[in-house]
Amino acid sequence: MRNLLIFLVKGYQKLLSPILPDSCRFYPTCSSYMIDALQKHGLILGLIMGCARILRCNPFNRGGVDPVPDNFTLFKNPHPERYEDEIIVKKFHSDAN
């Protein structure tokens, strides 16, 4: 079932996302976050985390770097500096200062 959801999200990324305007306020995008959460936390917890992230992606939230945390949470990752992508982290920290 988890693989089916990942397949559906990847289908969205390939078919629908390119024709829609860029609107995600986070990095990685909400669809990539959903895939990462499903892979890291399994079907139930990953789906809950992915849906919570989609709800956070709105005009009232400024967004930013928000990778999937190692522990289950419904909130933004409190330690984005631990993210593997050094280029994004440097940009995040230079914007914050």
Side-chain angles (χ1 to χ4, degrees):
M1 187 62 140
R2 176 179 67 176
N3 290 334
L4 175 63
L5 280 175
I6 291 172
F7 176 78
L8 291 173
V9 173
K10 286 184 178 183
Y12 162 80
Q13 288 177 327
K14 297 264 191 264
L15 300 173
L16 291 177
S17 184
I19 60 174
L20 298 173
D22 290 341
S23 59
C24 190
R25 300 173 172 279
F26 291 101
Y27 182 88
T29 62
C30 292
S31 57
S32 294
Y33 185 97
M34 177 71 82
I35 291 171
D36 293 345
L38 288 167
Q39 290 173 338
K40 191 178 251 187
H41 296 287
L43 176 65
I44 304 298
L45 295 179
L47 184 60
I48 292 170
M49 288 178 73
C51 290
R53 166 67 177 281
I54 291 169
L55 291 174
R56 284 196 309 270
C57 192
N58 63 65
F60 302 107
N61 190 327
R62 66 182 181 130
V65 177
D66 182 29
V68 177
D70 292 331
N71 299 319
F72 174 79
T73 181
L74 296 177
F75 304 104
K76 188 174 177 182
N77 189 335
H79 300 288
E81 69 276 3
R82 295 182 186 159
Y83 194 56
E84 304 91 33
D85 193 337
E86 293 178 24
I87 295 169
I88 297 299
V89 171
K90 285 179 185 175
K91 180 183 182 328
F92 173 75
H93 284 297
S94 66
D95 288 349
N97 295 331

